[in-house]
Amino acid sequence: MNKRLINRLYRTSLFALIFIMLCSVILVPEFHVKAASIFYVDDDWSSAVPGTDPDEGGPATNFGTDSFATIQEAVVAAQPGDTVQVLAGTYVEQVMINKDIILTTTEGAVIQAFPLMDADCTSPLLVDNHPIVCIKDTNNAVVEGFTIDGLSLGDLDPMDGTNTNTRLIGVAMRNAGGTVQ
């Protein structure tokens, strides 16, 4: 090939590359990354009215939107990447996490079992397992700072106190990854 043809091809390809880069900057819409939200949970807010400020000037602003009385309600409202911050208290509930969120307490909250808990998190082959906290079908959920209290309910029938061979599990993970500390 002669030198002139090589220069022409080089310049043409250079201009084409610059044109493509400019078009991608001008024509491609901006992608906005949603900032992670924080949801607040306090068992003292059980009588709060939806839409009100439950902590009167604190970080929560709208009960039922960014603040809840139960952990599970906040987990349901959260999106992947969000944080559920649980304030001090005892939460008698079963918590099911199926998305990459951070469930945390810095105030030593307790998640406590109740007698008739679902076996939702376990394998169909192990129907007698009843987790207090179930992390399922997610890759990077985080649970930190909690006391998980089974109240010695495993193996007892809640109606008459007889042994039912039910296995109460503190935290169970199924098809999931993440951190529990």
Side-chain angles (χ1 to χ4, degrees), residues 96-143:
M96 302 288 183
I97 300 171
N98 63 354
K99 54 189 109 172
D100 292 338
I101 62 170
I102 299 170
L103 177 62
T104 185
T105 181
T106 56
E107 300 183 17
V110 176
I111 304 174
Q112 196 173 75
F114 60 94
L116 299 174
M117 294 187 10
D118 293 334
D120 187 51
C121 191
T122 61
S123 163
L125 302 174
L126 301 171
V127 294
D128 285 335
N129 292 331
H130 300 267
I132 299 168
V133 176
C134 170
I135 303 168
K136 182 177 179 180
D137 299 327
T138 189
N139 294 323
N140 199 23
V142 175
V143 177

Side-chain angles (χ1 to χ4, degrees), residues 42-75:
D42 191 333
D43 58 349
D44 293 337
W45 296 339
S46 61
S47 61
V49 176
T52 62
D53 182 353
D55 58 358
E56 300 172 2
T61 59
N62 189 334
F63 185 74
T65 301
D66 72 346
S67 48
F68 301 90
T70 70
I71 298 169
Q72 188 61 47
E73 289 173 322
V75 167

Side-chain angles (χ1 to χ4, degrees), residues 79-101:
Q79 297 299 310
D82 289 346
T83 297
V84 175
Q85 176 68 47
V86 181
L87 302 176
T90 299
Y91 300 84
V92 181
E93 60 183 296
Q94 186 175 32
V95 179
M96 302 288 183
I97 300 171
N98 63 354
K99 54 189 109 172
D100 292 338
I101 62 170

